[in-house]
Amino acid sequence: MTRIWSVDPLNPDPAVIADAAAVLRTGGLVAFPTETVYGLGANALDEAAVQGIFAAKGRPATNPVIVHVADPEQVSRVAADWPEVAAKLAAAFWPGPLTLVLPKRPDVPAVVTAGGPTVAVRCPNHAVARALIRAADVPVAAPSANRSTELSPTRADHVAKSLNGRIDAILDGGPCPGGIESTVVDVTAGVRILRPGLISAPMLEAVVGPLTEGASEAGIAKSPGQMAKHYSPRTPVVLTDGEPGDVSGRVYRWKLGSDPLQAAADLYATLHELDDGRFDRIVIELPPDTPEWAGVRDRLRRAAAAG
Ligand code: TXA
Ligand code: MG
């Protein structure tokens, strides 16, 4: 049985938060809203609890999870080092949709980091998420609250559709405003984007100067959804460059609006809605290849990847 608790997204009831925090503290799984997508939380320092996340999601053990903290001061509970660039980026973008990959502390269970030497950390900008983490008083491991490879959830009913019966509770705090997952940035050697998101490359560069390009030398666990197929609806997605394309059957043609933040906010919710069996294909016109669109383009490509 999965309990569903409704909370005010801006001012959640402390009694409900306390109940949800108790579930986390005793090794349970709680889905909660963040400013990007819903996360599936467990105590990051409890190995068995984090294993529960992987089981509920059907997530491959090779894909590490992000640890969420209520305040930047909590980072030291999971990270062994706090480089100057990390401090600058956190000062500029936390709380917010930016995940920093840092050297991990030895007591962070290997399951969190897929056995790697680094841990991904972010401080979400959502009152429910922060109240929950504060009340639990532990760092909270939380991948997106969906079965592995499926669409990410931006509403509580998306979570329920995917994970009902597999997790202990869902905090329903309404729709997530951001709509796509955080930008993941490796700060262990230079500053390198591992997964584009709402914080764009120019926004990062304005704070830390030119970014480090190319794949990382470490070659371990640098896989932010880097499995090509990820974030996918069941209905096949076809991307076009404006050409009408040669597609037959019941086709939904979609051109995103001109505002990248609005497009991100609506992306998964629209795909969830279109993915109900009405269409044989969803044909989407790719937005321009500019830094502001990088996060949305990345998710569209993954949604369209076969197998
Ligand atoms: O916005 C978000 O980031 C959402 C909300 C819930 O916070 N979370 C999220 O988690 O998208 P998830 O697990 O679906 O994606 C986390 C990504 C994964 O693709 C993973 O490969 C990458 O972050 N990641 C996690 N730990 C890492 C590490 N130590 N090194 C490199 N990449 C890491
Ligand atoms: Mg995910």
Side-chain angles (χ1 to χ4, degrees), residues 204-245:
L204 296 169
E205 280 173 343
V207 176
V208 294
L211 303 182
T212 316
E213 303 281 345
S216 98
E217 299 87 55
I220 176 134
K222 308 289 184 188
S223 57
Q226 279 173 12
M227 299 164 300
K229 183 181 169 68
H230 212 91
Y231 316 116
S232 304
R234 288 180 302 266
T235 313
V237 171
V238 179
L239 303 179
T240 73
D241 269 317
E243 298 298 311

Side-chain angles (χ1 to χ4, degrees), residues 24 40 45 52-53 64 68 73 82 112-113 121 132 208 213 235 239 270 274 278:
L24 288 181
L40 177 59
L45 302 177
I53 293 179
H68 296 65
E73 297 71 52
W82 186 237
V112 171
T113 65
V121 188
L132 175 68
V208 294
E213 303 281 345
T235 313
L239 303 179
T270 306
L274 293 173
R278 274 177 299 159

Side-chain angles (χ1 to χ4, degrees), residues 79-144:
D81 188 24
W82 186 237
E84 180 78 33
V85 281
K88 282 187 183 163
L89 290 171
F93 299 114
W94 280 6
L98 177 69
T99 295
L100 299 174
V101 173
L102 297 158
K104 87 173 190 84
R105 269 176 57 145
D107 48 341
V108 175
V111 61
V112 171
T113 65
T118 60
V119 62
V121 188
R122 92 176 185 97
C123 179
N125 186 16
H126 195 292
V128 175
R130 293 182 80 190
L132 175 68
I133 302 164
R134 265 198 205 111
D137 196 27
V138 290
V140 173
S144 52

Side-chain angles (χ1 to χ4, degrees), residues 32-40 57 59 62-68 96-102 104 112-114 116-122 124 142-146 152 180-184 186 194-195 220-227 230-231 299:
F32 60 93
T34 79
E35 80 279 35
T36 60
V37 301
Y38 273 75
L40 177 59
K57 284 181 59 88
R59 183 181 178 101
T62 49
N63 196 3
V65 294
I66 296 174
V67 176
H68 296 65
L98 177 69
T99 295
L100 299 174
V101 173
L102 297 158
K104 87 173 190 84
V112 171
T113 65
T118 60
V119 62
V121 188
R122 92 176 185 97
S144 52
N146 53 279
S152 295
I180 63 171
E181 303 81 353
S182 61
T183 305
V184 179
D186 182 355
L194 300 182
R195 177 178 72 182
I220 176 134
K222 308 289 184 188
S223 57
Q226 279 173 12
M227 299 164 300
H230 212 91
Y231 316 116
R299 302 312 186 276

